[in-house]
Amino acid sequence: SFVAKDFKLLGVDKKYYTLNSIKGSKGTLICFICNHCPYVKEIIYDLVKETNELREYGISSVAIMPNDVNTYPEDSFDNMVLFSKSNRLNIPYLYDEYQNVAKLYNAVCTPEFFGFDKNLILKYRGRINNPKNKNDRELFSAMTSIANKKDISFNNPSIGCSIKWK
């Protein structure tokens, strides 16, 4: 089983975050997102809603931006700050400048979601919801199951833009 790997990354609030500093009492959600990806733009409202609600279940969330900003200037740190503000992202939004964290987690696309239990063991890796049925809250359901120490019966891979590697 995959255990969450530690990191130390700069957030849009100019503070550094580590895995320990964001860890939730009943679970931790790590989201790989970026500013420019149409798939992220499509789900960002839902992501803000889900992460706000999950907080009530003892689930802490963090978003990480792993793309090469030289190739994709829209994903720059300054644009991350604007993206976070304009979308009212209520969780730390961190810049994986050297792409080390994305590599440690074997992340492949944005958006991609990694759900860990309170012991930081990976229990869910997938998407936020079924694109054909937005009411099918897969991520929310998976994370609340993790918080309640229940098994998750599904794990549908996320669909998105590939991470822009340097």
Side-chain angles (χ1 to χ4, degrees):
S1 55
F2 182 84
V3 179
K5 309 284 187 241
D6 198 13
F7 54 78
K8 183 179 182 188
L9 296 173
L10 182 64
V12 293
D13 58 0
K14 310 279 195 294
K15 293 182 191 147
Y16 280 91
Y17 291 84
T18 62
L19 180 60
N20 234 19
S21 72
I22 59 99
K23 186 178 170 228
S25 60
K26 292 191 176 174
T28 304
L29 174 63
I30 297 179
C31 319
F32 286 90
I33 67 169
C34 68
N35 311 327
H36 88 273
C37 168
Y39 294 94
V40 172
K41 288 176 178 174
E42 192 180 308
I43 62 97
I44 193 67
Y45 174 82
D46 290 337
L47 180 62
V48 170
K49 181 173 164 264
E50 306 286 317
T51 54
N52 286 341
E53 281 186 42
L54 285 170
R55 197 172 286 122
E56 296 165 28
Y57 291 84
I59 304 279
S60 161
S61 307
V62 64
I64 297 174
M65 202 301 293
N67 283 347
D68 176 7
V69 300
N70 295 320
T71 322
Y72 286 84
E74 203 181 324
D75 289 335
S76 73
F77 187 80
D78 288 343
N79 285 329
M80 286 173 62
V81 173
L82 296 172
F83 182 86
S84 180
K85 280 193 180 115
S86 65
N87 290 291
R88 295 189 173 96
L89 197 57
N90 213 356
I91 59 173
Y93 189 20
L94 314 179
Y95 181 29
D96 186 11
E97 184 178 359
Y98 302 105
Q99 303 183 313
N100 299 337
V101 181
K103 285 176 183 150
L104 279 174
Y105 283 77
N106 293 312
V108 292
C109 66
T110 58
E112 189 170 19
F113 304 96
F114 292 77
F116 297 90
D117 67 11
K118 70 183 182 79
N119 301 315
L120 296 173
I121 294 165
L122 184 65
K123 297 291 182 183
Y124 179 76
R125 179 176 181 176
R127 62 192 186 184
I128 192 162
N129 56 27
N130 180 345
K132 292 180 181 70
N133 177 6
K134 295 282 193 260
N135 299 323
D136 188 356
R137 299 169 73 189
E138 291 181 14
L139 180 67
F140 186 80
S141 168
M143 293 311 297
T144 53
S145 294
I146 289 169
N148 295 315
K149 300 186 178 93
K150 292 188 178 125
D151 286 340
I152 300 158
S153 58
F154 56 85
N155 207 338
N156 297 307
S158 190
I159 297 161
C161 296
S162 61
I163 289 176
K164 310 309 180 213
W165 302 106
K166 288 181 181 171

